[in-house]
Amino acid sequence: MTGAAQKALLTLGLLALTGTSALAQTQPQTPAVACGGDLATFLEGVKAEAVAKGIPADGADRALAGAAIDQKVLSRDRAQGVFKQTFTEFSKRTVSKARLDIGAQKMREYADVFARAESEFGVPAPVITAFWAMETDFGAVQGDFNTRNALVTLAHDCRRPEMFRPQLLAAIEMVQHGDLDPATTTGAWAGEIGQVQMLPEDIIAYGVDGDGDGHVNLKKSSSDAILTAAKFIQSLGFKAGQPWIQEVSVPENLPWEKTGLQSGMTAGDWFALGVTPRDGNTANSGLEASLVVPQGRKGVAFLTYPNFNIYLEWNQSFIYTTSAAYFATRLAGAPPYQGGNPEPGLGDVEMKALQTRLQALGHDVGKIDGILGSGTRTALQKEQLKLGLPADGWATPELLGAL
């Protein structure tokens, strides 16, 4: 897997708050690597592969000694919830005054480290700090699953071994480097480690020794976590000096069918249609921009810029990523958003009924899961256009009735 694909798994903060994960939307695949069967035999195969990659045999033995299947990991993997909060609900819960205050304090405390992160990797402090807060509450909630056993469990399990066997091999390499203790290192149930919740392959690829102790320790070293996150975010395509999200006011008459991600328009195109930045800054009019309305045209509205894509790489949930991007703007000095007066949405049963109806009309909405995801929003916009309604992709009881 690429680092970007792996990072979509890194959602401990979301799990702690909502009980869901980007993994919830991952479909089972035919295993392309060895899995299942007798655990000792499986571990011998892992050891042989590690040795073939250059790990000394005694190092692989040390990393795998005492490895066991963790049934709690399997239970968590099978019982993942689904993300059904609105943007308003989730953002108000996560972007709290306490977190903003702590975030500001952390940016002062580690000012030199953040300055290095921006100088070397082009990523400003608020972007890193928002992820730090949302993933683990600045390191306070990192997970208590044994990392080695979690990865052994998920690599042995035949649901997604192609994702987790490489992570197990990377964990063995970390043991060899002295950056992971197989007996005591803990993290999230899916194998993520540290204050910014990264998987072993990404730690190896993007790890930075921020405190100069010769190791990358994302659990205990905030400096390591900050710089490693910055290097990883840079790898996702973050452009230094460019915005990521901007709150805007919108007129009633817009081509609402053009809202949503990847509109093919620039910020200047939106400004010409009457979209107005709340902060008055129109300096980025030449950048590609999408207008997103998480709860329809009567709720809060944002322009998202190319840097917003790194949020979608970090986590696949639109509500999580929009909240994280908004959080970063608040840490950078933006005021609270103006929530507007969004129309009431649908509950779980009604949303599933809507998706079923859309599917019957020939739309691909993916799984009937009660989530207003991108497929459902796109289908809604098409049906809203047919009905002569503003095509903002927001699901309402009135729209369900019309369909």
Side-chain angles (χ1 to χ4, degrees):
M1 294 175 63
T2 65
Q6 292 163 359
K7 200 64 183 73
L9 309 178
L10 309 187
T11 53
L12 177 66
L14 185 58
L15 283 164
L17 292 164
T18 67
T20 186
S21 166
L23 283 171
Q25 300 180 24
T26 302
Q27 299 300 317
Q29 302 177 23
T30 302
V33 296
C35 63
D38 176 68
L39 180 60
T41 302
F42 170 80
L43 293 175
E44 281 298 321
V46 172
K47 173 186 173 180
E49 189 171 349
V51 170
K53 290 179 176 293
I55 302 296
D58 60 344
D61 285 335
R62 184 170 67 256
L64 296 173
I69 298 297
D70 187 338
Q71 292 298 328
K72 290 183 179 179
V73 169
L74 292 176
S75 296
R76 185 67 67 88
D77 183 42
R78 300 297 191 264
Q80 292 176 81
V82 290
F83 189 79
K84 297 178 181 177
Q85 293 185 40
T86 66
F87 171 75
T88 299
E89 292 167 340
F90 185 67
S91 62
K92 287 186 175 180
R93 188 176 182 183
T94 55
V95 188
S96 64
K97 183 180 184 303
R99 278 183 162 182
L100 288 166
D101 289 344
I102 295 172
Q105 186 271 326
K106 293 291 185 182
M107 288 192 295
R108 292 191 297 269
E109 180 180 357
Y110 293 97
D112 291 346
V113 181
F114 281 117
R116 178 182 167 189
E118 186 159 15
S119 173
E120 294 185 12
F121 306 113
V123 184
V127 171
I128 302 167
T129 304
F131 280 127
W132 191 10
M134 292 187 70
E135 291 292 333
T136 66
D137 263 334
F138 307 102
V141 186
Q142 298 187 36
D144 57 4
F145 289 85
N146 178 279
T147 297
R148 188 273 314 275
N149 286 348
L151 292 172
V152 165
T153 299
L154 293 167
H156 178 268
D157 183 44
C158 287
R159 198 160 88 87
R160 291 187 313 279
E162 71 287 346
M163 290 184 179
F164 291 104
R165 189 179 180 106
Q167 300 299 339
L168 176 57
L169 291 165
I172 294 172
E173 184 176 343
M174 287 182 64
V175 172
Q176 183 68 17
H177 294 165
D179 292 336
L180 187 152
D181 185 320
T184 63
T185 297
T186 56
W189 67 266
E192 309 95 336
I193 304 169
Q195 298 180 38
V196 288
Q197 293 293 278
M198 296 184 71
L199 287 166
E201 277 197 320
D202 288 332
I203 294 173
I204 290 172
Y206 304 106
V208 179
D209 175 14
D211 55 20
D213 67 354
H215 294 279
V216 176
N217 188 334
L218 302 190
K219 287 183 67 66
K220 296 181 179 180
S221 173
S222 296
S223 296
D224 290 5
I226 291 167
L227 291 169
T228 298
K231 187 174 182 179
F232 181 78
I233 291 168
Q234 181 196 50
S235 79
L236 298 180
F238 192 90
K239 304 299 183 185
Q242 291 188 12
W244 48 95
I245 198 170
Q246 182 181 34
E247 188 189 354
V248 292
S249 299
V250 295
E252 290 188 10
N253 296 319
L254 274 179
W256 295 104
E257 68 277 6
K258 295 183 180 296
T259 61
L261 297 174
Q262 299 178 355
S263 67
M265 297 173 66
T266 66
D269 293 333
W270 289 110
F271 299 154
L273 291 172
V275 173
T276 306
R278 275 196 68 200
D279 60 8
N281 182 8
T282 59
N284 298 294
S285 59
L287 290 179
E288 183 179 348
S290 299
L291 180 64
V292 297
V293 284
Q295 290 178 249
R297 69 193 189 283
K298 296 184 180 180
V300 63
F302 297 101
L303 283 181
T304 64
Y305 293 94
N307 273 342
F308 184 74
N309 292 332
I310 69 102
Y311 289 89
L312 296 170
E313 295 282 1
W314 186 287
N315 187 292
Q316 294 173 349
S317 164
F318 174 71
I319 299 303
Y320 178 96
T321 54
T322 308
S323 297
Y326 162 67
F327 196 162
T329 66
R330 291 295 311 281
L331 290 167
Y337 62 72
Q338 293 178 339
N341 188 27
E343 296 176 276
L346 298 179
D348 182 59
V349 173
E350 292 78 12
M351 184 63 74
K352 289 178 179 177
L354 175 66
Q355 290 177 315
T356 301
R357 178 59 181 155
L358 290 169
Q359 190 176 69
L361 290 170
H363 297 288
D364 180 9
V365 299
K367 184 179 179 182
I368 306 298
D369 54 11
I371 301 173
L372 184 58
S374 59
T376 301
R377 285 181 184 267
T378 299
L380 276 179
Q381 287 179 302
K382 293 177 180 178
E383 291 301 322
Q384 285 171 321
L385 279 174
K386 291 179 183 178
L387 294 168
L389 301 173
D392 61 359
W394 178 238
T396 65
E398 290 76 15
L399 181 57
L400 176 59
L403 290 175

